[in-house]
Amino acid sequence: MSEIFTAAAVVLVLTMAAGLVRVVVGPTPADRMMGVQLIGTTGIAVLLLLGFAFEMPALADVALVFALLAAVSVTALTRRRVGQDRS
Amino acid sequence: MTIAWRLLGFCGLWLIFTGWNPGSWMIGVPSVLLATWAYGQLVGDSRAPSAARTLGFVLFFLRESVRAGVDVASRILRPRMRISPGFQTYRMRLADPSARVLFIDSISLLPGTLSADLVHREEIRVHALDATLDLAPELADLERRVGRLFGEELTKEKHGHV
Amino acid sequence: MEILLETVSLLLVGAGAFFFAVGTLGLVRLPDLFCRLHALTKADNLGLGLVIAGLLPWAADPFLALKLVLIWLLVMLSGATGSYLIAKRALRGDGEDLLE
Amino acid sequence: MTAGLLLLFDLVLVTTLVGLAIAALISPDLRRAVMLFIAFGLWLALVWARLRAPDVALAEAAIGAGLGGALMLAAARRAARRASANGGIDAEGGEA
């Protein structure tokens, strides 16, 4: 079974690498952030698959941190503009 | 009564995080108390849905998310993508704050729709991949289900298409 | 029995990987920000859900299985809320550093 | 079978990691560099997980990508604001 999980992880890492195109070309920071979110979500799946392939349940905790992190970085990015700068 | 349920819920959450490990409760008890207090500060009183209704909604939700994924995949995979994006406005009638949050979040996971903005506390601007369809009936159905989950009966007529 | 379980698991994980690939393709291919958000939220949530459903039977203890389900719920919550926030700021044009 | 798959996995992981690092370093736009840095942190966490070190991966994801990313985002925003206040010519992040 662990071969299947590893193979799926390889496929997912390839799609993550393809999604990096959106982080590099943009055009807006929001698009880049969406690319980062995609990496986060796919990374969770990769971590879980690796955790089952290597029989290391501790990797599920890393996946949990990834899930929380996506929320933090999106909230940090979507702050509303405050009055002081460029109207 | 609600406090007890929240305490129980956060204890369960801690159990999921750490597994069956008695030593972990040294940090667990303060964390659970803090989380219960913070939850009470952030969320006002809101009726808790019953177990049977929650199960029904979860089943509906799973079916809809599979439909949504297949829908979006079939649109993307065509060589010429079948999309005509645009915005529509929907007037929300739910009153319960938790129900409103659940409704707005579920719209984004429904086939072809994405909640984009909330204006004047009741008008939701919904972005659709295919804006030529009228979204109001489907949204009204979802709203009725969310309302029923929180014990709020919405009548079937005059769903608020603006 | 074992074979059946393995087949079901294989199918679920494979379908999950397919939806992740579609989500990535959509993110690269779709024309504007809002459409890309559609691909991001829906395809990825379904992909992760399918992968987790495929992994569930192999979880060593029930706590791990519950943790996997919790991860899925968290991702759905943060995905839906994050896409709402991004769409709202982009629509109103008042995000501090979203569009420029 | 598994060894070959893992080799492929490692190759993809390492190539992209180095590519991400270079892209983050040479990026002229500060906020783009920060985004690439966050992606780099996530990717590095994956590498640690692959090397069977979940505790290091945990620290990298939480501190390197999460906290560090959010703080650097705020710093880049402040730098861009100061550059536009100074006329937007001197600082490299100032696309005004």
Side-chain angles (χ1 to χ4, degrees):
Chain A
M1 211 51 208
S2 77
E3 291 94 17
I4 294 172
F5 292 154
T6 317
V10 172
V11 173
L12 288 185
V13 166
L14 285 173
T15 68
M16 280 167 81
L20 281 175
V21 172
R22 192 43 84 192
V23 185
V24 174
V25 300
T28 67
D31 289 302
R32 299 211 168 94
M33 183 44 88
M34 278 151 61
V36 170
Q37 269 194 301
L38 181 92
I39 289 176
T41 320
T42 322
I44 291 172
V46 172
L47 283 172
L48 293 177
L49 285 167
L50 282 186
F52 277 77
F54 295 169
E55 286 168 7
M56 286 176 62
L59 287 183
D61 293 330
V62 186
L64 205 58
V65 170
F66 266 50
L68 295 177
L69 194 112
V72 171
S73 44
V74 171
T75 338
L77 188 83
T78 52
R79 279 192 3 171
R80 201 169 59 190
R81 182 174 295 162
V82 277
Q84 65 213 25
D85 61 326
R86 46 194 153 165
S87 69
Chain B
M1 200 54 218
T2 28
I3 295 277
W5 277 117
R6 280 174 197 167
L7 266 177
L8 210 63
F10 281 115
C11 284
L13 217 54
W14 185 262
L15 214 55
I16 294 175
F17 286 147
T18 57
W20 193 254
N21 179 3
S24 75
W25 287 97
M26 226 156 80
I27 302 167
V29 170
S31 313
V32 165
L33 290 177
L34 192 68
T36 314
W37 174 78
Y39 191 85
Q41 295 298 108
L42 288 172
V43 179
D45 269 330
S46 190
R47 235 178 305 175
S50 77
R53 281 179 176 166
T54 311
L55 186 68
F57 187 78
V58 165
L59 289 179
F60 164 78
F61 188 83
L62 288 180
R63 205 184 66 215
E64 286 299 301
S65 32
V66 171
R67 245 185 72 207
V70 172
D71 173 71
V72 104
S74 73
R75 282 175 202 275
I76 292 171
L77 286 177
R78 301 278 170 92
R80 287 171 49 86
M81 285 180 288
R82 193 164 49 86
I83 54 171
S84 52
F87 286 96
Q88 289 186 10
T89 309
Y90 182 82
R91 194 180 290 278
M92 175 165 61
R93 291 177 296 159
L94 291 167
D96 187 293
S98 306
R100 291 162 71 103
V101 171
L102 181 64
F103 179 55
I104 292 176
D105 271 355
S106 321
I107 288 177
S108 298
L109 299 165
L110 212 71
T113 54
L114 181 89
S115 54
D117 198 359
L118 182 63
V119 210
H120 304 129
R121 292 190 51 78
E122 57 178 9
E123 279 176 28
I124 310 177
R125 297 197 65 187
V126 181
H127 183 265
L129 270 183
D130 188 353
T132 53
L133 303 172
D134 186 16
L135 300 173
E138 206 164 348
L139 291 178
D141 180 51
L142 177 69
E143 188 177 27
R144 224 171 26 250
R145 284 172 192 271
V146 174
R148 215 181 303 149
L149 186 65
F150 286 86
E152 198 176 329
E153 283 300 333
L154 299 173
T155 46
K156 192 159 180 146
E157 78 268 82
K158 65 149 184 137
H159 46 69
H161 191 196
V162 182
Chain C
M1 192 58 212
E2 188 84 348
I3 292 287
L4 184 71
L5 202 60
E6 282 190 8
T7 317
V8 170
S9 204
L10 172 67
L11 285 179
L12 284 172
V13 171
F18 167 75
F19 277 107
F20 271 119
V22 167
T24 306
L25 184 67
L27 193 71
V28 175
R29 230 187 131 195
L30 285 169
D32 72 351
L33 193 145
F34 297 103
C35 296
R36 286 179 205 141
L37 275 177
H38 277 278
L40 189 68
T41 51
K42 295 179 192 63
D44 277 15
N45 285 330
L46 185 58
L48 187 62
L50 287 171
V51 167
I52 284 179
L55 289 176
L56 275 184
W58 306 93
D61 58 330
F63 291 119
L64 183 59
L66 281 174
K67 199 186 275 179
L68 296 190
V69 175
L70 186 71
I71 289 173
W72 188 46
L73 286 179
L74 269 176
V75 167
M76 273 202 297
L77 190 67
S78 79
T81 312
S83 73
Y84 170 72
L85 281 174
I86 290 180
K88 179 176 177 175
R89 291 284 164 254
L91 197 60
R92 297 189 179 178
D94 64 351
E96 199 163 5
D97 40 20
L98 266 188
L99 313 156
E100 51 202 75
Chain D
M1 171 82 180
T2 316
L5 276 175
L6 276 180
L7 186 66
L8 181 60
F9 189 79
D10 293 350
L11 276 178
V12 177
L13 223 52
V14 167
T15 321
T16 324
L17 188 75
V18 174
L20 262 176
I22 294 173
L25 280 176
I26 63 172
S27 165
D29 176 7
L30 273 186
R31 265 180 322 212
R32 183 174 144 193
V34 174
M35 295 287 181
L36 285 166
F37 178 79
I38 297 177
F40 174 80
L42 292 177
W43 211 275
L44 191 54
L46 273 186
V47 171
W48 287 122
R50 159 68 186 91
L51 294 173
R52 297 169 196 246
D55 40 358
V56 190
L58 202 70
E60 174 61 41
I63 301 170
L67 269 179
L71 286 177
M72 284 166 104
L73 203 60
R77 180 189 301 142
R78 194 155 299 184
R81 188 180 299 161
R82 185 158 307 163
S84 68
N86 288 347
I89 316 156
D90 45 356
E92 65 267 73
E95 79 277 20

